[in-house]
DNA sequence: CTTCGTTCCTGGAAGC
DNA sequence: TGCTTCCAGGAACGAA
């Protein structure tokens, strides 16, 4: 599942192949993926225009189109953007085809088809989730001083709290479990119950876990691939995610699997208090 | 206002 | 072996 490190890796690997190239044509094979404008408008407005920059905000990819438009893409669970030679065989689950100049084709593929794409010009459309993102891990705005008062007001489980994109932009289920494991906090604790020291530790763990995910080019647990179709390496270093019943890397006791806020959650009952 | 449950979707795994 | 059922989860949405 693409979370911030995976989306960042997609951005990095995609950028050199598509930046500065013109979009020759767009073929939308599953119109409901286009949230704004209509699929027809999306395709016709992009044709003939140039990708000037490939950015990212939280889990959103932001492709700058000329100087006044942005194509905003959310990969959700199984979405992928892959740039490859136009004469290469098309990838599986291909849903949108962007033919670019210089013999490059960019594909949007998606198994479960939850992905979303927008084309906004001069901010003519308000993307709620995009506009309300909180600070990102590793950014100057993400500090214990920022997090402490928010947590103090929240009665939610700390796991649900850190998954909230308006609180922290970019954490998903894998990294949320990893952050709580590293900071030794039980995911079922309420956010408000965390001490000032624990908030500091959580903040630090979020930065450490995300930095490690980026360094390892993302976590490929199942379907995730970067912009060149390659897997990440971070799955080799996970403390808890996907390790239910296996020994805790800290104390050796079997890890517990549970549901927290409707999400599969793995943690160590002994180490995470 | 906050919080929680439901919904969308498909492939793979588990269960019988 | 072959069928059915369940599960994975990001975020929008409606309900409490």
């Amino acid at each position: 599942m693409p979370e911030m490190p995976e989306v960042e890796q997609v951005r990095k690997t995609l950028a050199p192949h598509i930046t500065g190239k013109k979009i020759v044509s767009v073929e939308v094979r599953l119109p409901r993926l286009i949230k704004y404008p209509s699929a027809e408008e999306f395709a016709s407005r992009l044709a003939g225009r140039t990708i000037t920059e490939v950015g990212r905000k939280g889990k959103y990819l932001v492709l700058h189109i000329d100087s006044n438009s942005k194509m905003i893409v959310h990969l959700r669970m199984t979405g992928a953007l892959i740039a490859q030679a136009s004469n290469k065989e098309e990838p599986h689950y291909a849903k949108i085809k962007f033919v670019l100049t210089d013999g490059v084709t960019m594909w949007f593929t998606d198994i479960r088809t939850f992905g979303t794409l927008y084309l906004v010009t001069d901010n003519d459309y308000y993307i709620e989730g995009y506009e309300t993102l909180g600070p990102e891990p590793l950014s100057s705005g993400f500090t214990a001083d920022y997090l402490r008062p928010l947590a103090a007001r929240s009665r939610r489980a700390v796991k649900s709290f850190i998954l909230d994109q308006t609180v922290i932009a970019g954490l998903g289920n894998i990294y949320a479990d990893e952050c709580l494991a590293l900071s030794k906090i039980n995911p079922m604790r309420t956010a408000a119950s965390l001490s000032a020291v624990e908030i500091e530790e959580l903040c630090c763990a979020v930065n450490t876990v995300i930095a490690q995910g980026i360094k390892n080019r993302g976590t490929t647990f199942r379907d995730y691939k970067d912009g060149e179709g390659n897997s990440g390496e971070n799955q080799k270093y996970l403390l808890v995610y996907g390790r239910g019943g296996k020994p805790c890397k800290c104390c050796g006791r079997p890890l517990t699997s549970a549901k927290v806020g409707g999400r599969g959650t793995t943690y160590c009952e002994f180490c995470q208090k």
Side-chain angles (χ1 to χ4, degrees), chain A residues 8 16 24 27 43 49 51 75 86-87 94 96 112 136 143 151 175 191 195 201 203 214 219 228 236 249 251 273:
Chain A
E8 177 59 15
V24 176
E27 179 191 333
R49 306 189 65 197
I51 301 168
L75 304 174
S86 297
N87 59 10
I96 305 173
R112 283 154 75 180
E136 291 192 359
T143 62
Y175 292 104
S195 70
E201 287 167 347
C203 229
I214 290 171
T219 302
E228 293 171 330
K236 296 175 184 170
K249 291 184 177 180
C251 75
K273 296 299 184 189

Side-chain angles (χ1 to χ4, degrees), chain A residues 197-213:
Chain A
V197 170
E198 286 171 327
I199 292 284
E200 293 271 0
E201 287 167 347
L202 177 59
C203 229
C204 183
V206 168
N207 283 333
T208 302
V209 162
I210 291 298
Q212 182 200 290

Side-chain angles (χ1 to χ4, degrees), chain A residues 115-168:
Chain A
T116 53
L117 297 92
Y118 307 79
L119 177 62
V120 296
T121 300
D122 301 326
N123 299 314
D124 61 346
Y125 183 80
Y126 183 80
I127 305 170
E128 172 84 22
Y130 179 78
E131 299 297 343
T132 58
L133 289 171
E136 291 192 359
L138 305 171
S139 76
S140 59
F142 180 67
T143 62
D145 283 344
Y146 158 77
L147 208 56
R148 196 180 310 108
L150 280 183
R153 271 185 264 128
S154 175
R155 288 159 307 214
R156 307 160 78 182
V158 61
K159 161 127 184 204
S160 304
F161 177 72
I162 64 171
L163 276 174
D164 185 337
Q165 301 299 297
T166 69
V167 175
I168 308 171

Side-chain angles (χ1 to χ4, degrees), chain A residues 83-128:
Chain A
Q84 61 181 39
S86 297
N87 59 10
K88 200 175 165 190
E89 192 184 346
E90 72 173 67
H92 288 146
Y93 310 104
K95 303 300 177 201
I96 305 173
K97 179 182 186 181
F98 302 85
V99 178
L100 310 182
T101 46
D102 301 327
V104 173
T105 296
M106 179 173 74
W107 295 92
F108 179 83
T109 67
D110 202 345
I111 299 171
R112 283 154 75 180
T113 70
F114 281 1
T116 53
L117 297 92
Y118 307 79
L119 177 62
V120 296
T121 300
D122 301 326
N123 299 314
D124 61 346
Y125 183 80
Y126 183 80
I127 305 170
E128 172 84 22

Side-chain angles (χ1 to χ4, degrees), chain A residues 11 13 24 26-27 42 56 64 77 95 99 103 139 143 159 161 191 198 211 227 253 262-264 266:
Chain A
R11 188 198 66 74
T13 51
V24 176
V26 179
E27 179 191 333
F42 179 86
R56 180 191 57 75
H64 295 253
M77 256 73 80
K95 303 300 177 201
V99 178
S139 76
T143 62
K159 161 127 184 204
F161 177 72
E198 286 171 327
R253 293 174 176 82
R263 295 284 164 257
T266 306

Side-chain angles (χ1 to χ4, degrees), chain A residues 217-270:
Chain A
R217 292 176 285 106
T219 302
T220 299
F221 203 79
R222 211 167 184 171
D223 304 303
Y224 162 74
K225 293 274 170 34
D226 70 20
E228 293 171 330
N230 296 312
S231 297
E233 298 285 328
N234 199 55
Q235 61 280 6
K236 296 175 184 170
Y237 307 99
L238 298 176
L239 297 174
V240 290
Y241 182 85
R243 299 192 61 249
K246 292 183 178 148
C248 171
K249 291 184 177 180
C250 185
C251 75
R253 293 174 176 82
L255 295 171
T256 303
S257 293
K259 284 265 184 202
V260 179
R263 295 284 164 257
T265 300
T266 306
Y267 68 105
C268 177
E269 286 181 54
F270 182 80

Side-chain angles (χ1 to χ4, degrees), chain A residues 14-33:
Chain A
L14 208 51
H17 299 286
I18 69 171
T19 306
K21 292 197 169 49
K22 191 184 273 190
I23 299 169
V24 176
S25 63
V26 179
E27 179 191 333
V28 180
R29 300 181 186 174
L30 188 57
R32 68 174 160 76
L33 300 182

